[in-house]
Amino acid sequence: MPALGCCVDASVSPPHGYAFSWDSSLPAPELFSSGVPPATNAAAVTAGSHWSTDLSSALYRVDGWGAPYFSVNASGDISVRPHGTDTLPHQEIDLLKVVKKASDPKILGGLGLQMPLVVRFPDVLKNRLETLQSAFDMAVSSQGYEAHYQGVYPVKCNQDRFVVEDIVKFGSPYRFGLEAGSKPELLLAMNCLSKGSADALLVCNGFKDTEYISLALVARKLLLNTVIVLEQEEELDLVIDISRKMAVRPVIGLRAKLRTKHSGHFGSTSGEKGKFGLTTAQILRVVKKLDESGMLDCLQLLHFHIGSQIPTTELLADGVGEATQIYSELVRLGAGMKFIDIGGGLGIDYDGSKSSNSDVSVGYGIEEYASAVVQAVLYVCDRKGVKHPVICSESGRAIVSHHSILIFEAVSASTTHVSTQPSSGGLQSLVETLNEDARADYRNLSAAAVRGEYDTCLLYSDQLKQRCVEQFKDGSLDIEQLAAVDSICDWVLKAIGVADPVRTYHVNLSVFTSIPDFWGFSQLFPIVPIHRLDEKPTMRGILSDLTCDSDGKVDKFIGGESNLPLHEIGSNAGGDGGRYYLGMFLGGAYEEALGGLHNLFGGPSVVRVLQSDSPHSFAVTRSVPGPSCADVLRAMQFEPELMFETLKHRAEEFLEQGEGEGLAFASLTSSLAQSFHNMPYLVSSSSCFTAEANANNGGYYYYSEDNAADCATEEDEIWSY
């Protein structure tokens, strides 16, 4: 292994083939001879200089988690297949071109949106819904099931207006409905379903008070196919009382607490001790009370939920079978049963492993899921002689996850700087300042480096650094000497190939706002560079966000990795001006609704993109800038207009009004005003640029009033590209 030259006693002979030198004549350490840092996913990173998009696809598992919607194209960019397996080659959308259209300034033909950016593909949403419907239709037809399937979308997964409206529109031919779990969700569901199928279900889940139940009964009066699902036994008295006062005959469902549950993170809402639902004893009391009230025919739906991300179809079939037994018993007791709502649980393969032993994967596909459900219901009903119920599911995660992509930029990366060779005299002077124990560690480190003993080098390097820190604390070493020792130790470790190859990539993002599930419980999502995938990634890194919080980082990735293969930032090999974009995929469910305002970083900008016959196969149908600084301040009860006036008056009071100061005052107040209107995130010079800002601020700055007009966007305008 390489040795240290002036750091090693000259009487110690180096191993054959290695020279004492601090310069670039040192041979490359064996660990990095391929030019790529060590990777756990070694099959994808091969020796030699050749690289291909197929190798990138394998390295990032794109064909696993991304099929059939995402792939790597010949240009080395992520390609979106908006119609899944039915997408024709000319319909594929280059994601990088969408990002450039969204982020380039208007004077360059872009929309001037600031990063981070969410790109929505309604075509993918439509395909997901149709795929789910088709899977159940096939299972119903092939198994001779005598009822049909009609799903509902749980709006809690993503309450965005256009997402919900799209689902209602796309699902109308299939009687696809909505599920609400709160009063505002119920209001938006009522509004959206007014334009949907008359047969679509409006399932009312969640804890309920008088106002919630009254609102659900109003929906019934408006001829929406509303079902009030009892989560607690006490809700029944309210339903009976209010429905009589309003003269509305309700349709009632009840949620059963099944004994079946899965043991993963997402199974905590199921089983006997689950948060929601009625026990068998409570179900019997509900039936009795409804019978006594002359309303047993109103009980028409049984709901249950095994838990999200059900790992296997065996567990699914077990739970559905148990629930169908309860359904059959309710039929026997005289209830007017028509629907069995199997809840959510249709899982997403976040890591492409198709594993049944992971919270981020499942061991089945949509077709297998639908087949298992239909078969389980069919078996119990036929054995009991019960008419087959309409099967309903609340598969929100499976419907919306794929259609939304979070794009963000890595703006810089940490680097390890190795000092140049110190002079012999300087090194000798430094060693003489060390105490005896530190000098002993220095000698041992030098000797271990010559022998190529990695573990021993690490031991003595750590000891030497710690002893020098103690000397620094007591004042016997100055900061320059401490830095010199650190540099020597770092160089030794780098020279023998054991220096930490993992860099920290600083990303223009808030983990708390945009990936809250990762921060909350380490939910993993595929994160991939969206371009330069025809280049070999020569670095490995973790991602650190903009927030002033040590938890604001992503240091766990799919495949059990603690870092991510990445490219050098600043290379213009891909013709992207040195910008480096990453995408987080499969995050269309929950992340936007759960995101907070930590450090007052608001949500991302958003674009809706449809496949079109334009030259680049897409059209942006809507663009919305992310929340401004004023918006997030208002959320915390501040009044930005009054804040601006306060700061303006202070400027008037303390700025001297001499010759030329009037222009300075106007510029200052203009800058203050614009700061309230800008997003909290960093702005790249290529989004809204001036040469001066680019030169003076490393390419990142906030908008000025002069270029603000170039960065404005217009809603409801279509830009074909």
Side-chain angles (χ1 to χ4, degrees):
M1 299 303 295
L4 294 182
C6 58
C7 291
V8 182
D9 189 88
S11 64
V12 182
S13 299
H16 175 71
Y18 293 90
F20 295 136
S21 176
W22 281 78
D23 60 25
S24 59
S25 65
L26 281 173
E30 182 179 350
L31 186 60
F32 295 95
S33 60
S34 67
V36 180
T40 305
N41 192 8
V45 182
T46 60
S49 59
H50 174 70
W51 194 255
S52 70
T53 56
D54 288 340
L55 290 174
S56 283
S57 184
L59 177 63
Y60 295 107
R61 303 177 176 223
V62 178
D63 292 338
W65 56 261
Y69 302 106
F70 308 108
S71 63
V72 181
N73 64 26
S75 299
D77 302 335
I78 291 291
S79 183
V80 181
R81 296 170 176 166
H83 311 298
T85 55
D86 295 329
T87 305
L88 301 176
H90 72 276
Q91 295 174 324
E92 293 191 12
I93 299 171
D94 189 315
L95 185 57
L96 179 63
K97 291 179 180 177
V98 175
V99 172
K100 289 177 70 65
K101 179 63 178 178
S103 61
D104 280 353
K106 278 196 162 185
I107 57 176
L108 295 182
L111 304 178
L113 291 175
Q114 188 180 337
M115 294 289 174
L117 174 72
V118 164
V119 184
R120 300 196 199 282
F121 291 94
D123 292 317
V124 173
L125 192 63
K126 183 174 187 286
N127 186 266
R128 291 297 294 177
L129 190 151
E130 291 176 345
T131 300
L132 177 63
Q133 184 70 41
S134 176
F136 270 100
D137 287 347
M138 182 177 297
V140 164
S141 174
S142 63
Q143 298 185 39
Y145 194 79
E146 296 175 357
H148 64 271
Y149 166 81
Q150 64 180 91
V152 298
Y153 168 65
V155 298
K156 68 179 181 180
C157 289
N158 191 323
Q159 299 101 333
D160 179 83
R161 168 191 164 189
F162 297 98
V163 172
V164 180
E165 288 182 349
D166 280 344
I167 288 173
V168 171
K169 179 176 69 175
F170 300 150
S172 185
Y174 314 112
R175 298 166 285 204
F176 219 87
L178 299 174
E179 180 269 345
S182 66
K183 285 177 272 191
E185 288 186 350
L186 177 53
L187 286 167
L188 75 84
M190 290 167 62
N191 174 72
C192 292
L193 284 176
S194 296
K195 299 177 182 178
S197 168
D199 296 322
L201 290 171
L202 172 49
V203 176
C204 300
N205 288 332
F207 294 113
K208 303 170 190 70
D209 60 7
T210 298
E211 186 178 20
Y212 188 137
I213 293 169
S214 298
L215 190 58
L217 292 171
V218 167
R220 190 87 192 151
K221 273 196 170 186
L222 298 178
L223 301 183
L224 296 172
N225 196 7
T226 310
V227 182
I228 301 173
V229 178
L230 305 178
E231 304 277 5
Q232 301 178 97
E233 186 178 358
E234 295 78 12
E235 293 171 355
L236 178 59
D237 291 331
L238 287 175
V239 173
I240 293 173
D241 181 55
I242 297 170
S243 64
R244 285 174 175 169
K245 290 178 180 177
M246 294 180 63
V248 178
R249 192 76 173 170
V251 173
I252 300 172
L254 59 82
R255 178 165 175 168
K257 281 186 178 179
L258 301 187
R259 313 299 172 94
T260 305
K261 65 172 295 183
H262 72 81
S263 58
H265 168 81
F266 294 103
S268 60
T269 56
S270 62
E272 286 185 279
K273 297 182 180 180
K275 178 179 178 181
F276 301 104
L278 309 180
T279 64
T280 52
Q282 290 174 317
I283 289 172
L284 288 175
R285 289 198 293 269
V286 165
V287 169
K288 181 179 179 182
K289 184 169 290 187
L290 284 171
D291 191 25
E292 291 171 349
S293 302
M295 297 176 65
L296 190 54
D297 62 308
C298 295
L299 180 56
Q300 298 182 14
L301 180 145
L302 176 69
H303 173 45
F304 66 95
H305 180 63
I306 300 172
S308 296
Q309 286 289 109
I310 297 173
T312 66
T313 54
E314 290 78 16
L315 177 61
L316 171 69
D318 190 28
V320 173
E322 180 187 352
T324 309
Q325 292 285 357
I326 297 174
Y327 179 93
S328 300
E329 289 299 299
L330 291 172
V331 172
R332 181 181 66 82
L333 293 171
M337 302 301 293
K338 295 180 181 178
F339 304 94
I340 185 165
D341 180 352
I342 65 173
L346 174 54
I348 294 296
D349 190 1
Y350 288 100
D351 65 3
S353 66
K354 294 180 172 55
S355 169
S356 59
N357 299 313
S358 169
D359 283 338
V360 294
S361 185
V362 291
Y364 55 84
I366 292 180
E367 292 80 8
E368 296 166 278
Y369 174 89
S371 179
V373 169
V374 172
Q375 184 177 18
V377 177
L378 179 71
Y379 175 77
V380 174
C381 287
D382 284 355
R383 192 177 63 179
K384 292 280 191 175
V386 171
K387 182 180 177 180
H388 298 168
V390 173
I391 297 175
C392 174
S393 76
E394 301 176 6
S395 304
R397 185 189 301 267
I399 291 175
V400 300
S401 291
H402 295 76
H403 94 287
S404 180
I405 305 169
L406 173 69
I407 307 294
F408 53 97
E409 187 178 359
V411 298
S412 65
S414 62
T415 57
T416 302
H417 177 73
V418 179
S419 301
T420 57
Q421 176 181 354
S423 64
S424 299
L427 184 61
Q428 183 64 32
S429 298
L430 173 63
V431 173
E432 289 175 355
T433 63
L434 304 180
N435 62 32
E436 184 55 39
D437 289 337
R439 286 198 293 272
D441 287 331
Y442 170 78
R443 289 191 295 271
N444 290 331
L445 173 62
S446 301
V450 171
R451 295 191 299 270
E453 297 174 353
Y454 297 170
D455 293 340
T456 306
C457 278
L458 289 170
L459 172 65
Y460 286 120
S461 175
D462 288 342
Q463 285 187 185
L464 175 57
K465 283 186 176 183
Q466 186 57 43
R467 293 191 201 279
C468 290
V469 167
E470 294 302 322
Q471 284 192 251
F472 176 73
K473 288 179 180 179
D474 65 25
S476 58
L477 280 185
D478 59 33
I479 193 169
E480 290 88 356
Q481 293 167 324
L482 182 64
V485 170
D486 287 340
S487 295
I488 291 171
C489 291
D490 291 343
W491 187 89
V492 173
L493 300 182
K494 182 178 178 67
I496 66 172
V498 295
D500 186 2
V502 178
R503 292 186 177 185
T504 297
Y505 279 64
H506 305 288
V507 294
N508 194 13
L509 184 76
S510 165
V511 169
F512 304 92
T513 298
S514 294
I515 322 178
D517 276 348
F518 177 82
W519 169 70
F521 61 95
S522 297
Q523 169 69 43
L524 301 183
F525 297 92
I527 297 177
V528 181
I530 68 166
H531 59 141
R532 296 178 61 184
L533 297 174
D534 54 346
E535 301 175 36
K536 194 175 194 176
T538 57
M539 300 293 140
R540 297 190 72 86
I542 63 171
L543 309 179
S544 177
D545 75 357
L546 297 181
T547 65
C548 300
D549 198 302
S550 58
D551 285 340
K553 62 183 178 181
V554 180
D555 55 1
K556 297 183 181 69
F557 303 89
I558 63 170
E561 301 285 357
S562 59
N563 49 68
L564 188 68
L566 295 167
H567 304 83
E568 284 273 16
I569 294 178
S571 169
N572 197 26
D576 306 314
R579 302 184 70 177
Y580 192 47
Y581 297 110
L582 303 175
M584 187 201 82
F585 295 78
L586 309 187
Y590 298 109
E591 301 312 290
E592 293 171 52
L594 292 176
L597 290 175
H598 184 48
N599 259 172
L600 296 188
F601 285 105
S605 302
V606 180
V607 291
R608 279 168 51 91
V609 176
L610 287 175
Q611 185 269 319
S612 76
D613 295 329
S614 59
H616 293 285
S617 303
F618 71 88
V620 178
T621 61
R622 183 175 178 83
S623 68
V624 181
S628 67
C629 291
D631 293 330
V632 296
L633 287 167
R634 285 192 190 95
M636 294 296 156
Q637 309 303 313
F638 287 93
E639 298 182 45
E641 295 79 9
L642 294 180
M643 295 169 67
F644 171 72
E645 290 300 324
T646 299
L647 295 173
K648 180 180 177 182
H649 290 320
R650 186 172 181 85
E652 290 175 339
E653 181 179 356
F654 289 101
L655 285 181
E656 295 182 6
Q657 297 296 318
E659 184 177 352
E661 294 299 328
L663 291 175
F665 173 77
S667 176
L668 185 148
T669 54
S670 174
S671 177
L672 279 173
Q674 195 60 43
S675 293
F676 282 102
H677 291 293
N678 292 338
M679 285 177 67
Y681 296 92
L682 302 179
V683 182
S684 169
S685 59
S686 60
S687 291
C688 286
F689 58 87
T690 65
E692 181 180 358
N694 190 31
N696 295 338
N697 202 18
Y700 286 86
Y701 69 106
Y702 288 98
Y703 297 160
S704 71
E705 185 174 315
D706 293 337
N707 60 41
D710 293 331
C711 301
T713 62
E714 299 176 20
E715 297 183 359
D716 298 321
E717 182 180 348
I718 297 178
W719 300 272
S720 291
Y721 186 59

